């Protein structure tokens, strides 16, 4: 039986912490889909198609990883892709508290379980919102994001 996990997120932008979780998810599942989502609760800096392309660039070195934009509910996407599990990275207890209700709702809607992976401690301080703020002010982000993301954010804020 082939297993497929989905790693969902807004990825605005994708960080090295995200990539770490995706790499480790790939060691547990045959295939991983990075599901780049629109989040109505967040004001995105980068357009959805840009976030998808940056995720593709960040994950091109990982076999059997596919990047997709998801237009609606994650539960519906999981059903259409016959997903085995949803994988979410956690930096600490605050992330767990934020993800718990969502994982239970996704299980209620789709029957798909969520697997939590503790993030590598090297990236516990890395959050997309912090990366954007540092980049906005011209600070160094090269140790926080893949090279393509660094270039994209530098170009975005030079406008």
């Amino acid at each position: 039986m082939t297993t497929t996990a989905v790693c969902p997120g807004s990825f605005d932008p994708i960080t090295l912490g995200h990539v770490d979780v995706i790499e480790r998810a790939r060691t547990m599942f045959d295939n991983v889909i990075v599901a780049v989502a629109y989040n109505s609760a967040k004001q995105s800096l980068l357009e959805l198609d840009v976030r998808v392309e940056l995720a593709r660039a960040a994950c091109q070195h990982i076999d059997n990883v596919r990047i997709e934009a998801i237009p609606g509910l994650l539960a519906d996407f999981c059903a259409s892709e016959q997903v085995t599990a949803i994988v979410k990275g956690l930096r600490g207890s605050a992330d767990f508290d934020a993800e718990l209700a969502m994982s239970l709702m996704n299980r209620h809607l789709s029957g798909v379980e969520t697997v939590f992976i503790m993030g590598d401690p090297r990236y516990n301080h890395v959050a997309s919102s912090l990366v954007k703020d540092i980049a906005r002010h011209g600070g160094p982000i090269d140790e926080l994001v893949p090279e393509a993301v660094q270039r994209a954010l530098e170009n975005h804020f030079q406008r």
Side-chain angles (χ1 to χ4, degrees):
M1 178 179 143
T2 301
T3 58
T4 301
V6 63
C7 291
S10 56
F11 302 108
D12 187 35
I14 193 166
T15 69
L16 292 177
H18 293 128
V19 174
D20 169 63
V21 169
I22 295 162
E23 288 171 342
R24 291 194 289 135
R26 180 52 192 89
T27 68
M28 293 182 258
F29 298 93
D30 298 315
N31 301 294
V32 173
I33 303 169
V34 177
V36 182
Y38 167 76
N39 185 337
S40 61
K42 295 182 181 179
Q43 176 68 31
S44 295
L45 175 71
L46 302 170
E47 296 295 326
L48 182 62
D49 60 330
V50 172
R51 291 184 278 134
V52 167
E53 287 309 310
L54 290 174
R56 283 192 179 121
C59 296
Q60 66 184 350
H61 67 285
I62 314 168
D63 291 335
N64 297 329
V65 170
R66 190 171 96 224
I67 315 299
E68 297 287 338
I70 58 171
L73 288 175
L74 178 60
D76 293 340
F77 182 79
C78 289
S80 71
E81 295 291 330
Q82 299 177 333
V83 166
T84 308
I86 298 166
V87 173
K88 297 292 288 192
L90 301 176
R91 291 170 293 192
S93 60
D95 284 352
F96 177 77
D97 290 342
E99 295 292 345
L100 179 59
M102 201 175 332
S103 70
L104 295 172
M105 184 57 72
N106 282 324
R107 183 176 65 191
H108 172 79
L109 293 172
S110 68
V112 176
E113 294 289 349
T114 298
V115 175
F116 294 112
I117 296 178
M118 292 309 301
D120 186 313
R122 293 178 298 164
Y123 304 119
N124 274 358
H125 62 290
V126 180
S128 295
S129 58
L130 296 175
V131 167
K132 289 182 284 194
D133 196 43
I134 294 166
R136 181 177 289 113
H137 296 291
I141 58 170
D142 57 305
E143 294 180 358
L144 309 174
V145 296
E147 187 177 331
V149 173
Q150 180 183 351
R151 285 193 311 270
L153 290 178
E154 287 170 353
N155 290 338
H156 180 85
F157 288 118
Q158 285 178 353
R159 291 184 199 153

